[in-house]
Amino acid sequence: MNEPLRWVLSAGREALAAVVIEPSELAAALDRLGLGGSRPALVLVGGAGGLDSDLHAPLLALFRGLMPVLRELGAVVVDGGTRSGVMALMGQAAAGTDLHLLGVVAVGTVRLPGQAEPGPHEHRPELDPNHDRFLLVPGTAWGDESPWIAAVATALVPTGASLTLVVGGGKVTALDLREGLRHGRPALVLAGSGGTADAVATYLQGSAGPVGAPPFDLPQDTAARCEVMHLDRAATELPALLRRRLGG
């Protein structure tokens, strides 16, 4: 298939989508989506449906504050693409801008445009309407997309100007972080955002430093490739960090 799919999402917003079956198809799929060539990538992983509602306002404000630097750098945000949690908040922050948001979704876990709900006992989230690009990958369970998210970011940024931002989350977020670290991608863990992020931050910032094996079966060199920033400081400190990390 040489042409991308063209979807109309909620509120009449349009998006492009491509389908891949094998990792060797990623470069061609990104070309079809207009994302060929090397560009910086921010990989957003974290809380979806279980994100603490008290965090919605500060995270939305934080993401809106990141828009100028991400647009200045010509970056792409890569995430899970559903209309939930941190992905929906990033979508709201980017609405009305020309920032590309690329959602990587396992086809058996989401409701695609034009599809009805599969049944009364099986809910599938819809795609976030503020994402303008989607990559459909194989899978029927949450977490099947995790290795693809990591591989997509590497394909976008063969020179290495990328960062994983960890915000809250559960088991799938831990898997997303692990896959990114295995690709050699550094990570910033947002302490104070709950879940996986706080568990990893506690390990990294123990009174004696990291002790014992990292949580969630993360690589042994996790401490060397992860940085912690508290949510309270992120609005003032994160834009400058992104400029340093993603500016090449």
Side-chain angles (χ1 to χ4, degrees), residues 21-46:
I21 303 299
E22 301 291 342
S24 60
E25 301 169 352
L26 283 175
L30 292 173
D31 280 339
R32 293 199 299 275
L33 294 175
L35 299 176
S38 182
R39 60 186 72 208
L42 177 65
V43 182
L44 175 65
V45 303

Short mmCIF file of all heavy atoms in Angstrom, two decimals, residues 21-46:
data_model
loop_
_atom_site.label_atom_id
_atom_site.label_comp_id
_atom_site.label_asym_id
_atom_site.label_seq_id
_atom_site.Cartn_x
_atom_site.Cartn_y
_atom_site.Cartn_z
N ILE A 21 3.29 -4.62 9.46
CA ILE A 21 3.26 -5.99 9.98
C ILE A 21 4.63 -6.38 10.52
O ILE A 21 4.73 -7.07 11.54
CB ILE A 21 2.83 -7.00 8.89
CG1 ILE A 21 1.46 -6.61 8.32
CG2 ILE A 21 2.78 -8.41 9.46
CD1 ILE A 21 0.34 -6.60 9.34
N GLU A 22 5.67 -5.91 9.86
CA GLU A 22 7.04 -6.25 10.24
C GLU A 22 7.83 -4.97 10.53
O GLU A 22 7.59 -3.93 9.90
CB GLU A 22 7.74 -7.01 9.10
CG GLU A 22 7.07 -8.30 8.69
CD GLU A 22 7.18 -9.38 9.76
OE1 GLU A 22 8.05 -9.24 10.65
OE2 GLU A 22 6.39 -10.34 9.71
N PRO A 23 8.79 -5.03 11.46
CA PRO A 23 9.61 -3.84 11.75
C PRO A 23 10.34 -3.29 10.54
O PRO A 23 10.58 -2.08 10.46
CB PRO A 23 10.60 -4.36 12.81
CG PRO A 23 9.88 -5.48 13.49
CD PRO A 23 9.07 -6.14 12.40
N SER A 24 10.65 -4.16 9.58
CA SER A 24 11.35 -3.70 8.38
C SER A 24 10.51 -2.73 7.54
O SER A 24 11.02 -2.06 6.66
CB SER A 24 11.76 -4.89 7.52
OG SER A 24 10.61 -5.64 7.12
N GLU A 25 9.20 -2.66 7.83
CA GLU A 25 8.30 -1.79 7.08
C GLU A 25 8.19 -0.38 7.67
O GLU A 25 7.53 0.48 7.10
CB GLU A 25 6.90 -2.42 7.03
CG GLU A 25 6.86 -3.79 6.38
CD GLU A 25 5.54 -4.50 6.58
OE1 GLU A 25 4.69 -4.00 7.35
OE2 GLU A 25 5.35 -5.56 5.97
N LEU A 26 8.84 -0.14 8.82
CA LEU A 26 8.63 1.12 9.53
C LEU A 26 9.07 2.33 8.72
O LEU A 26 8.36 3.34 8.66
CB LEU A 26 9.36 1.10 10.87
CG LEU A 26 8.69 0.28 11.98
CD1 LEU A 26 9.57 0.25 13.22
CD2 LEU A 26 7.32 0.87 12.31
N ALA A 27 10.26 2.28 8.13
CA ALA A 27 10.77 3.44 7.41
C ALA A 27 9.82 3.85 6.28
O ALA A 27 9.50 5.04 6.11
CB ALA A 27 12.16 3.17 6.86
N ALA A 28 9.34 2.87 5.52
CA ALA A 28 8.43 3.17 4.42
C ALA A 28 7.10 3.72 4.94
O ALA A 28 6.51 4.63 4.35
CB ALA A 28 8.19 1.93 3.57
N ALA A 29 6.62 3.16 6.06
CA ALA A 29 5.36 3.64 6.62
C ALA A 29 5.48 5.08 7.10
O ALA A 29 4.57 5.90 6.90
CB ALA A 29 4.93 2.74 7.78
N LEU A 30 6.60 5.42 7.74
CA LEU A 30 6.80 6.80 8.19
C LEU A 30 6.88 7.74 6.99
O LEU A 30 6.38 8.87 7.05
CB LEU A 30 8.06 6.88 9.05
CG LEU A 30 7.96 6.17 10.40
CD1 LEU A 30 9.32 6.16 11.10
CD2 LEU A 30 6.92 6.84 11.30
N ASP A 31 7.50 7.29 5.92
CA ASP A 31 7.52 8.11 4.70
C ASP A 31 6.10 8.39 4.20
O ASP A 31 5.78 9.51 3.81
CB ASP A 31 8.32 7.40 3.60
CG ASP A 31 9.82 7.56 3.77
OD1 ASP A 31 10.24 8.50 4.47
OD2 ASP A 31 10.57 6.75 3.20
N ARG A 32 5.25 7.36 4.21
CA ARG A 32 3.88 7.54 3.75
C ARG A 32 3.12 8.53 4.63
O ARG A 32 2.20 9.21 4.16
CB ARG A 32 3.13 6.20 3.73
CG ARG A 32 3.65 5.21 2.71
CD ARG A 32 2.64 4.12 2.41
NE ARG A 32 2.30 3.32 3.56
CZ ARG A 32 2.99 2.26 3.99
NH1 ARG A 32 4.11 1.90 3.36
NH2 ARG A 32 2.59 1.57 5.03
N LEU A 33 3.51 8.62 5.89
CA LEU A 33 2.85 9.54 6.81
C LEU A 33 3.47 10.93 6.79
O LEU A 33 3.07 11.80 7.58
CB LEU A 33 2.92 8.97 8.24
CG LEU A 33 2.13 7.68 8.49
CD1 LEU A 33 2.38 7.17 9.90
CD2 LEU A 33 0.64 7.91 8.26
N GLY A 34 4.44 11.13 5.91
CA GLY A 34 5.09 12.43 5.83
C GLY A 34 6.07 12.68 6.95
O GLY A 34 6.40 13.83 7.25
N LEU A 35 6.56 11.61 7.56
CA LEU A 35 7.47 11.73 8.69
C LEU A 35 8.84 11.12 8.38
O LEU A 35 9.58 10.72 9.29
CB LEU A 35 6.88 11.05 9.94
CG LEU A 35 5.55 11.62 10.44
CD1 LEU A 35 5.03 10.80 11.61
CD2 LEU A 35 5.70 13.09 10.85
N GLY A 36 9.18 11.04 7.11
CA GLY A 36 10.48 10.49 6.73
C GLY A 36 11.61 11.44 7.08
O GLY A 36 11.40 12.64 7.30
N GLY A 37 12.82 10.93 7.14
CA GLY A 37 13.97 11.75 7.51
C GLY A 37 14.11 11.80 9.01
O GLY A 37 13.19 11.50 9.76
N SER A 38 15.28 12.21 9.46
CA SER A 38 15.54 12.25 10.90
C SER A 38 14.96 13.50 11.53
O SER A 38 15.11 14.60 11.01
CB SER A 38 17.06 12.20 11.15
OG SER A 38 17.34 12.18 12.53
N ARG A 39 14.28 13.32 12.63
CA ARG A 39 13.72 14.45 13.38
C ARG A 39 13.67 14.06 14.86
O ARG A 39 13.59 12.88 15.20
CB ARG A 39 12.34 14.83 12.86
CG ARG A 39 11.31 13.72 12.96
CD ARG A 39 10.01 14.15 12.29
NE ARG A 39 10.15 14.18 10.84
CZ ARG A 39 9.42 14.99 10.07
NH1 ARG A 39 8.55 15.81 10.60
NH2 ARG A 39 9.58 14.97 8.76
N PRO A 40 13.71 15.03 15.77
CA PRO A 40 13.65 14.70 17.20
C PRO A 40 12.33 14.03 17.56
O PRO A 40 11.30 14.29 16.92
CB PRO A 40 13.79 16.05 17.90
CG PRO A 40 14.34 16.97 16.87
CD PRO A 40 13.85 16.47 15.55
N ALA A 41 12.36 13.19 18.60
CA ALA A 41 11.15 12.51 19.04
C ALA A 41 11.04 12.53 20.55
O ALA A 41 12.00 12.20 21.26
CB ALA A 41 11.12 11.07 18.54
N LEU A 42 9.88 12.92 21.04
CA LEU A 42 9.54 12.78 22.45
C LEU A 42 8.57 11.62 22.57
O LEU A 42 7.48 11.67 22.00
CB LEU A 42 8.91 14.06 22.98
CG LEU A 42 8.44 14.00 24.45
CD1 LEU A 42 9.63 13.84 25.39
CD2 LEU A 42 7.63 15.24 24.81
N VAL A 43 8.97 10.58 23.28
CA VAL A 43 8.11 9.41 23.47
C VAL A 43 7.39 9.59 24.81
O VAL A 43 8.02 9.60 25.87
CB VAL A 43 8.94 8.11 23.48
CG1 VAL A 43 8.02 6.90 23.63
CG2 VAL A 43 9.76 7.99 22.20
N LEU A 44 6.09 9.75 24.75
CA LEU A 44 5.28 9.96 25.96
C LEU A 44 4.66 8.64 26.37
O LEU A 44 3.89 8.04 25.62
CB LEU A 44 4.19 10.99 25.67
CG LEU A 44 3.19 11.24 26.80
CD1 LEU A 44 3.87 11.86 28.01
CD2 LEU A 44 2.05 12.13 26.31
N VAL A 45 4.99 8.18 27.58
CA VAL A 45 4.41 6.94 28.10
C VAL A 45 3.86 7.24 29.49
O VAL A 45 4.44 8.01 30.24
CB VAL A 45 5.43 5.79 28.15
CG1 VAL A 45 6.02 5.54 26.77
CG2 VAL A 45 6.55 6.03 29.15
N GLY A 46 2.72 6.63 29.82
CA GLY A 46 2.18 6.90 31.15
C GLY A 46 0.72 6.56 31.28
O GLY A 46 0.15 5.81 30.48
#
